[in-house]
């Protein structure tokens, strides 16, 4: 069961509402079952009664006729419900397609509004023209070199069992003061694989924050230029001992997803897979040489902030977060995506991703701090 | 027990199974729309109707059994 997920693989889109279709099929069967009962009841003949005894009854005898009529009505209702569910499954698919396409424009309008608030005419013009990466670059100006300090926390390495499910991996994305987590596993003598988990934006400040996972880095990544958070991820990987020959599996939420995509495409390491949730990937490429899975909520504004999505080699899973209308924070939260990841584990989209073994390895988490040069 | 009462009891049992099947189904919590609400309401109505019809058939079977027994005793 894919449980209402919209899965886009390179070259195709299919909306699976197969739980609804399965229910519709079950209801059609229910209609046939009730029809069979109706047939049995309509054939029942009442035994001959003694009129004298019947006359003494305190409660009138129940007639089968109204029950038979009710059963006939139930057959019609069940058939009608089955048809309604079939139609609902089909319309749900259409509505979700429409919702995805209709969110694109408001998201770009949001960026325009943001730039208007900032008051930069050149940025607003770029945004109006739909070129989000140019707008981000104009807004950012010349950021200059990034000075970032990365430190292992919690006394360095700790033993860990590798996460093997999509949900298990999303659940390991760090938050707060330790935005990067690197796990290393020896899969054969001398052969190492690394799992790199990257947090999303921690500080929404622009140009004044000491946290490299801030809005400035967001804009830099969307603009396609170097970002302080990107420098931090590379530094943490280097400190954790990740080598260029290592196969690396990246997992990131929000800005962390965009970072994961950028590092994966950098060619600096051998990319094993990329898993992103709620990431503003926009035109970020995915070469298709490794499995890439992007999960995005249709009511989450962030995935669209990098502009219209270009066809890439990644598999995309989209679904509504189930959050209340306009609760954009819940729709974008890591917890919300964790819940969706559990559904993805049960869906066909899971097949497009590696099967990891639950081997033992070592984990290190890192803090990161921007230092002005 | 007469054939009619037995048939009615079996029909009632079938309807109880149908009601249980309807009660076990869910449209999930991920989709929200008026169409879904309408489908869920119909599902609940159908389950309730199946239980009501089953109960009436059971009462009818009891009455039919008793009436038949009286008729035979006279």
């Amino acid at each position: 069961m894919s449980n209402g997920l919209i899965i886009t693989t390179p070259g195709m889109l299919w909306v699976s509402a197969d739980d609804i279709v399965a229910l519709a099929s079950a209801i059609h069967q229910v209609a046939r079952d009730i029809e069979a009962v109706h047939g049995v009841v309509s054939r029942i003949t009442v035994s001959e009664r003694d009129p004298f005894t019947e006359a003494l009854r305190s409660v009138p005898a129940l007639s089968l006729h109204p029950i038979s009529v009710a059963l006939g009505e139930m057959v019609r209702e069940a058939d009608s419900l089955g048809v309604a569910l079939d139609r609902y499954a089909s319309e749900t698919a259409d509505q979700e397609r429409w919702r995805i396409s209709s969110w694109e424009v408001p998201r770009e309008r949001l960026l325009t509004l943001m730039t208007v608030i900032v008051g930069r005419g050149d940025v607003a013009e770029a945004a109006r023209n739909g070129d989000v990466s140019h707008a981000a670059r104009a807004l950012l100006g010349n950021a200059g070199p990034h000075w970032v300090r990365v430190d292992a926390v919690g006394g360095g390495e700790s033993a860990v069992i590798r996460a093997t499910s999509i949900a298990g991996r999303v659940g390991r994305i760090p938050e707060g003061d330790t935005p990067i987590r690197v796990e290393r596993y020896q899969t054969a003598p001398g052969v190492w694989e690394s799992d790199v988990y990257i947090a999303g934006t921690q500080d929404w400040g622009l140009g004044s924050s000491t946290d490299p996972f801030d809005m400035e880095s967001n804009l830099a990544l969307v603009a396609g230029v170097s970002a302080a958070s990107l420098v931090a991820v590379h530094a943490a990987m280097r400190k954790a001992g990740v080598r260029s020959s290592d196969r690396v599996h990246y997992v990131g939420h929000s800005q962390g997803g965009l970072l994961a995509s950028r590092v994966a495409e950098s060619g600096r390491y051998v990319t094993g897979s990329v898993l992103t949730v709620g990431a503003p990937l926009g035109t970020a490429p995915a070469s298709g040489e490794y499995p890439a899975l992007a999960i995005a909520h249709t009511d989450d504004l962030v995935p669209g902030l990098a502009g219209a999505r270009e066809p890439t080699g990644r598999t995309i899973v989209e679904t509504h977060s189930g959050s209340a209308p306009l609760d954009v924070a819940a729709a974008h939260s890591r917890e919300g995506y964790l819940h969706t990841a559990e559904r993805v584990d049960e869906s066909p989209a899971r097949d497009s991703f590696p099967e990891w073994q639950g081997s033992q390895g070592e984990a290190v988490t890192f803090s990161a701090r921007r230092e002005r040069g | 027990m007469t054939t009619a009462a037995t048939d009615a009891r079996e029909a009632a049992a079938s309807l109880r199974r149908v009601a249980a099947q309807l009660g076990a189904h869910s449209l999930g919590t991920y989709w929200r729309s008026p169409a879904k609400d309408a489908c869920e309401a119909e599902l609940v109505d159908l389950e309730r109707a199946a239980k009501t019809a089953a109960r009436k058939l059971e009462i009818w079977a009891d009455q039919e059994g008793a009436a038949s027994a009286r008729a035979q005793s006279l």
Side-chain angles (χ1 to χ4, degrees):
Chain A
M1 286 278 193
S2 49
N3 203 7
L5 302 173
I6 302 172
I7 301 171
T8 310
T9 53
M12 69 176 282
L13 165 79
W14 58 279
V15 179
S16 176
D18 48 5
D19 49 351
I20 303 170
V21 174
L23 178 56
S25 170
I27 297 296
H28 285 304
Q29 184 54 48
V30 159
R32 302 289 72 77
D33 291 346
I34 299 172
E35 197 170 45
V37 171
H38 185 215
V40 169
V41 170
S42 62
R43 284 193 296 274
I44 292 176
T45 52
V46 183
S47 60
E48 278 193 25
R49 307 282 172 80
D50 167 43
F52 179 70
T53 311
E54 285 296 298
L56 292 176
R57 290 171 60 90
S58 57
V59 180
L62 196 63
S63 168
L64 269 182
H65 180 67
I67 302 175
S68 183
V69 170
L71 287 170
E73 184 60 29
M74 283 169 64
V75 172
R76 281 188 290 278
E77 280 178 12
D79 274 332
S80 159
L81 179 57
V83 170
L85 283 166
D86 284 333
R87 196 183 307 122
Y88 174 60
S90 159
E91 285 175 358
T92 299
D94 292 342
Q95 280 173 6
E96 283 305 302
R97 282 197 191 92
W98 172 83
R99 183 155 51 184
I100 289 164
S101 61
S102 66
W103 267 116
E104 296 296 336
V105 172
R107 280 166 172 163
E108 292 187 5
R109 293 280 183 277
L110 188 72
L111 185 69
T112 306
L113 180 66
M114 190 174 79
T115 54
V116 166
I117 290 168
V118 172
R120 293 274 299 274
D122 52 341
V123 180
E125 189 180 344
R128 268 196 297 276
N129 292 336
D131 190 341
V132 179
S133 61
H134 272 94
R137 207 170 298 147
L139 186 61
L140 197 63
N142 184 7
H146 303 289
W147 305 93
V148 178
R149 181 187 172 92
V150 171
D151 293 304
V153 297
E157 297 170 350
S158 59
V160 66
I161 301 294
R162 195 170 201 181
T164 56
S165 65
I166 302 289
R169 291 184 161 249
V170 172
R172 286 195 185 179
I173 299 172
E175 285 182 308
D177 295 335
T178 55
I180 308 156
R181 175 185 173 95
V182 181
E183 298 179 2
R184 300 197 75 221
Y185 300 92
Q186 190 169 21
T187 53
V191 180
W192 289 81
E193 288 199 6
S194 298
D195 294 348
V196 177
Y197 297 91
I198 313 168
T201 304
Q202 304 295 308
D203 187 311
W204 293 90
L206 187 65
S208 58
S209 169
T210 57
D211 193 328
F213 286 71
D214 62 358
M215 194 62 192
E216 186 177 320
S217 287
N218 255 332
L219 287 169
L221 290 164
V222 170
V225 299
S226 181
S229 54
L230 187 61
V231 173
V233 171
H234 279 303
M237 290 175 71
R238 199 167 49 246
K239 277 200 171 186
V242 181
R243 299 169 303 186
S244 60
S245 57
D246 284 7
R247 182 170 291 276
V248 184
H249 301 266
Y250 302 92
V251 188
H253 170 229
S254 189
Q255 180 182 153
L258 191 48
L259 285 164
S261 179
R262 286 283 296 274
V263 182
E265 284 289 313
S266 71
R268 195 175 289 194
Y269 307 96
V270 181
T271 300
S273 66
V274 179
L275 168 62
T276 63
V277 291
L281 296 171
T283 54
S287 64
E289 292 166 5
Y290 50 84
L293 177 62
I295 303 174
H297 288 154
T298 50
D299 51 336
D300 179 2
L301 291 169
V302 174
L305 285 176
R309 199 170 63 210
E310 295 287 331
T312 65
R314 67 174 62 88
T315 295
I316 299 163
V317 178
E318 291 170 300
T319 186
H320 193 271
S321 71
S323 306
L326 301 179
D327 190 350
V328 290
H332 184 59
S333 70
R334 197 200 62 160
E335 285 67 31
Y337 277 106
L338 181 59
H339 187 53
T340 302
E342 289 167 356
R343 295 163 57 200
V344 174
D345 273 319
E346 303 297 320
S347 80
R350 178 66 185 86
D351 299 338
S352 66
F353 233 54
E355 293 287 338
W356 294 280
Q357 299 299 314
S359 52
Q360 186 164 334
E362 290 166 344
V364 194
T365 53
F366 293 91
S367 64
R369 183 178 173 82
R370 189 197 293 271
E371 295 187 327
R372 301 289 167 186
Chain B
M1 178 128 2
T2 64
T3 308
T6 306
D7 286 350
R9 284 206 179 284
E10 284 175 3
S14 296
L15 284 176
R16 294 246 177 238
R17 281 194 294 277
V18 163
Q21 201 180 341
L22 288 168
H25 274 298
S26 161
L27 284 172
T29 56
Y30 302 110
W31 305 104
R32 290 174 180 167
S33 75
K36 182 191 170 186
D37 292 344
C39 285
E40 283 188 329
E42 279 189 50
L43 207 58
V44 171
D45 283 348
L46 201 55
E47 181 191 355
R48 194 180 298 128
K51 284 179 177 169
T52 303
R55 182 71 195 127
K56 285 183 176 175
L57 277 171
E58 285 160 358
I59 293 170
W60 187 89
D62 288 346
Q63 290 182 349
E64 169 62 17
S68 173
R70 282 196 301 274
Q72 284 178 356
S73 68
L74 289 174

